Amino acid sequence: MKRTILIVEDEPHIVMGLRDALEFEGFGVLSASTGKEGVALARSSEPDAIILDLMLPDMNGYAVCEEIRRTSAIVPIIMLTARSQESDKIRGLDAGADDYVTKPFSVNELIARIRAIFRRATRAPAAPETMQIGEATLNVAAHTLTRAGVTEQLSFYEVELLKLLVERTGQAVSRDEILQRIWGLDASPTNRTVDNFIVKLRRKIEKSSDKPAHILTVYGFGYKLVP
Ligand code: CA
């Protein structure tokens, strides 16, 4: 099955470089040069992943990301940003992006991340269909989490992170390992990415996200899930 990647970017040379490289790797490529067009294409053609630039002529990438997330919680979104400020990255993750790459970026690195997403997505289904985390039930296939009768959609990375923590229940998992296994990254400057996803998951899982009872912090190291 051919995977389709949607590129939302107004700079023609970046679109061209990405398109060539992605097509060479066997992906189908769609592109949009405005935020509006990107949102419409994301809805009408349901791509398998989206590369989204932060700086677009009509809307900023955060708003585009939020619009796309209204109709698709699952599609992996990688944000391209010229900014390296931590607060901008956090804002991107809050808007629903799964990952970000700072310009100027290496096309090969970006493609490696996309390949890693699909490798995990097609990995043999070792995980059971549902997992219990405290009072919450994770439905792996449907990408949903149900707690106290409320069902929420989770993003691709939220599900992957939870699966990893559940697989290792009771053991501390380091931030570096999480980054490497879920995001396919070796570098540790983006540790805050993991912390941000943990915050989001705690809001959905914990009775009180300030006093987590299930996703615990292991200081200076990482996180541990207790049932
Ligand atoms: Ca741009």
Side-chain angles (χ1 to χ4, degrees), residues 8-11 14 53-57 103:
V8 186
E9 163 67 286
D10 60 319
E11 287 162 74
I14 293 183
D53 187 43
L54 182 60
M55 307 294 276
L56 293 164
K103 286 177 173 178

